[in-house]
Amino acid sequence: MTVVSIVDYGVGNLRSVINALEHIGAQAELVSDPVALRKSGKLLLPGVGSYRIAMEQFQASGLADTLMERVTQDQIPMLGICVGMQLMTEHGTEDGGAPGLGLVPGVIDKFDADTMKAKGLKVPHVGFNTVRPKSGSLLFKDLGDGIDVYFTHSFRLASTGDDHVGALCNYGVDFVAAVEHEHVVATQFHPEKSQANGLAILRNFMDNF
Amino acid sequence: MLKKRLIFTLLYSKGSFMLSRNFRLQRVGNADWLNRNYNFSTIATSIDELIILNTERAEDGTTLSHEKFLSDVEKVTKGCFMPLALGGGLTSVDQIPQLMQSGADKIVVNTALFRNAEFVRAAVAKYGSQCVVASIDYRHTQDGFEIYTACGSERVEGEFTDLLAYVADLGVGEIYLNSMDKDGTGQGYWMDVLDQISAIEHLPVIMAGGAGNFEHLMEGLGSANIDAVATANLFNFVGDGLPKAREKLLAHDQNLARW
């Protein structure tokens, strides 16, 4: 297994994701400067909290441009988790809004309050829910067609390019639970908090990308 | 559709994990002991969420050895890959980042609900309602249900339903309803309390206190008003007790996550 570099731009707790990667036998390292990022062979982009604030922090860290270069030119595999996935899209409307990295088509917007209320569903969407991977997915390889994983979020990617969908989830409406396009993958849910299912997904990222 | 949850609650004090019966605590052992004697790692793969509460209190009701608590939390959760809620004697929003650094996804507040509402509101404002679990310890008397704080030592004045409405109004994300009478008895949940919770019916309810076997968990999960069932009883679900209970719950078509 190769080393996975966790892009550390100063947001949130990275302990859980490091623990999970080490548990499956992967070697995880934190990378917080562009020079180190140039040596990485595989990236994991975490993120929590507000899209705009996370994006500002990511830009300020000086890591965003290098990450884009490594992923688009060098084609190294990357996995975004939660707000890390959200930052990979074109735009996020949260908290005044901010442009994203544009690696994934689509916009991050809040679950529609009226629709959810009419269906008696609460926002944020918190807990284990079932995702439906696309056929032939490498991220969900050998995991079947309905996998339960842990979500905690209020904003979501409503839709993306057909060739970018990795998995869908239904919470009142369908939304994109995972992105999978060539070497670019991402999950709105938290694999590091999703018991054996999440560990298997992380293992697939390490083995198949 | 969101799944219901099976939750394990660990009680902690001064380096040890505790068993509780009617809120009287008995020391069982430290993190290593828990793994050795109770195969905690097996329990941990059978639950949807873990709650760890620090029950140690100073005279003023705050917790003393916060750092020790958190380092023990990290030790016991190293091989845990599910959401984690931490609590016990919390008094300030400034404590929350430290809890999150130790892996917490949520915090649990109890006494602060009634003594320090500003803190609870501030925690909700800063971290979101999904981050704040309100823990309610209650007793059943001839006159109805009564709420207690400070590890069950002080009664909160007021009607049960009014107090629940007050707690919901603080903006908390879910309610952990713990029966002190049933706590640690293994006799089953106090299901009658569900008739009194219309004030919080828009919030997820975690039922706690009294689960002793699979049937009790089944009864709890079978109620439309309950989103999660919790047990803190290491003895009743020792060894592969909890994995077996989970398998049976799934075999009985309970809406739990599968892995």
Side-chain angles (χ1 to χ4, degrees):
Chain A
M1 260 187 199
T2 45
V3 181
V4 58
S5 305
I6 300 171
V7 184
D8 179 11
Y9 55 102
V11 295
N13 162 42
L14 304 176
R15 182 185 307 278
S16 310
V17 75
I18 294 170
N19 279 348
L21 287 164
E22 288 179 348
H23 190 82
I24 60 163
Q27 214 179 320
E29 60 167 21
L30 293 179
V31 168
S32 55
D33 74 274
V35 179
L37 193 53
R38 292 200 177 281
K39 296 179 194 140
S40 301
K42 201 163 239 183
L43 299 179
L44 190 150
L45 183 66
V48 291
S50 148
Y51 185 105
R52 186 178 60 78
I53 291 169
M55 197 61 201
E56 283 172 8
Q57 240 174 302
F58 188 37
Q59 294 289 3
S61 73
L63 293 162
D65 292 343
T66 312
L67 175 135
M68 285 302 288
E69 197 184 308
R70 298 302 320 276
V71 175
T72 55
Q73 288 174 27
D74 303 340
Q75 309 251 312
I76 67 167
M78 82 169 285
L79 167 65
I81 295 179
C82 196
V83 174
M85 160 170 156
Q86 297 189 352
L87 297 183
M88 292 158 71
T89 65
E90 294 169 287
H91 188 84
T93 62
E94 185 170 8
D95 200 11
L101 297 172
L103 284 164
V104 176
V107 172
I108 302 295
D109 201 358
K110 195 164 188 175
F111 279 112
D112 181 62
D114 294 337
T115 310
M116 300 310 269
K117 206 171 173 186
K119 292 176 186 267
L121 296 172
K122 292 152 198 161
V123 176
H125 172 221
V126 183
F128 278 85
N129 203 338
T130 309
V131 302
R132 300 156 2 237
K134 68 171 179 183
S135 70
S137 164
L138 294 175
L139 189 61
F140 296 93
K141 191 166 181 267
D142 298 332
L143 288 173
D145 51 13
I147 301 131
D148 297 336
V149 289
Y150 178 74
F151 289 89
T152 173
H153 64 124
S154 299
F155 288 75
R156 52 72 176 108
L157 180 59
S159 64
T160 183
D162 283 346
D163 57 347
H164 279 75
V165 174
L168 296 175
C169 177
N170 187 281
Y171 188 58
V173 289
D174 270 357
F175 67 93
V176 181
V179 166
E180 181 175 340
H181 180 71
E182 295 167 356
H183 59 292
V184 175
V185 289
T187 63
Q188 175 61 64
F189 57 85
H190 287 269
E192 77 281 14
K193 299 269 178 186
S194 299
Q195 292 281 20
N197 292 344
L199 297 176
I201 289 163
L202 289 174
R203 200 174 287 119
N204 277 341
F205 173 64
M206 294 308 294
D207 290 347
N208 304 338
F209 290 89
Chain B
M1 183 166 62
L2 268 183
K3 305 293 177 182
K4 292 197 174 190
R5 292 169 283 159
L6 176 59
I7 296 176
F8 201 87
T9 306
L10 280 174
L11 303 172
Y12 172 94
S13 180
K14 298 175 188 166
S16 293
F17 291 92
M18 318 293 283
L19 269 181
S20 172
R21 186 174 172 111
N22 302 126
F23 275 50
R24 286 188 304 275
L25 294 174
Q26 179 196 343
R27 194 170 300 273
V28 290
N30 65 16
D32 295 331
W33 191 91
L34 200 62
N35 266 324
R36 215 168 44 240
N37 290 281
Y38 284 94
N39 200 2
F40 183 70
S41 50
T42 309
I43 289 178
T45 55
S46 313
I47 54 176
D48 301 278
E49 195 166 322
L50 178 64
I51 297 178
I52 309 181
L53 303 175
N54 188 359
T55 60
E56 177 201 3
R57 294 290 182 279
E59 294 221 342
D60 64 356
T62 60
T63 51
L64 294 167
S65 44
H66 214 57
E67 278 70 26
K68 170 76 175 146
F69 170 58
L70 293 180
S71 78
D72 280 340
V73 162
E74 287 175 25
K75 209 167 165 185
V76 84
T77 58
K78 180 140 175 65
C80 291
F81 306 105
M82 82 293 271
L84 172 68
L86 298 178
L90 298 177
T91 53
S92 159
V93 172
D94 300 337
Q95 295 167 315
I96 299 176
Q98 211 187 355
L99 299 176
M100 291 187 158
Q101 283 302 322
S102 294
D105 300 277
K106 307 176 184 180
I107 63 160
V108 182
V109 286
N110 178 308
T111 306
L113 296 168
F114 303 99
R115 282 211 201 136
N116 195 350
E118 304 74 46
F119 154 53
V120 178
R121 285 187 202 276
V124 169
K126 185 153 185 198
Y127 294 97
S129 61
Q130 85 286 347
C131 184
V132 183
V133 181
S135 152
I136 308 264
D137 297 325
Y138 67 92
R139 278 208 151 124
H140 185 242
T141 70
Q142 282 180 330
D143 304 326
F145 293 100
E146 298 175 341
I147 292 177
Y148 286 77
T149 61
C151 299
S153 66
E154 285 172 28
R155 165 135 197 242
V156 182
E157 292 301 321
E159 285 290 320
F160 186 71
T161 50
D162 295 345
L163 292 173
L164 288 186
Y166 157 84
V167 168
D169 189 54
L170 295 175
V172 299
E174 53 192 313
I175 309 271
Y176 183 93
L177 272 182
N178 189 22
S179 162
M180 295 172 64
D181 302 301
K182 294 279 199 170
D183 173 57
T185 62
Q187 295 166 350
Y189 295 116
W190 204 301
M191 298 296 283
D192 290 353
V193 75
L194 297 175
D195 300 336
Q196 306 286 325
I197 63 164
S198 59
I200 54 167
E201 67 186 4
H202 61 295
L203 293 174
V205 169
I206 303 165
M207 201 67 162
N213 58 40
F214 153 78
E215 277 79 18
H216 299 147
L217 301 175
M218 184 82 187
E219 183 183 24
L221 289 172
S223 163
N225 295 316
I226 295 179
D227 294 81
V229 288
T231 177
N233 201 317
L234 287 162
F235 285 150
N236 287 330
F237 294 99
V238 68
D240 61 356
L242 214 55
K244 285 249 165 71
R246 185 182 189 91
E247 270 173 39
K248 262 172 100 173
L249 290 166
L250 284 166
H252 282 74
D253 290 327
Q254 286 301 319
N255 179 30
L256 292 173
R258 290 174 187 272
W259 52 75

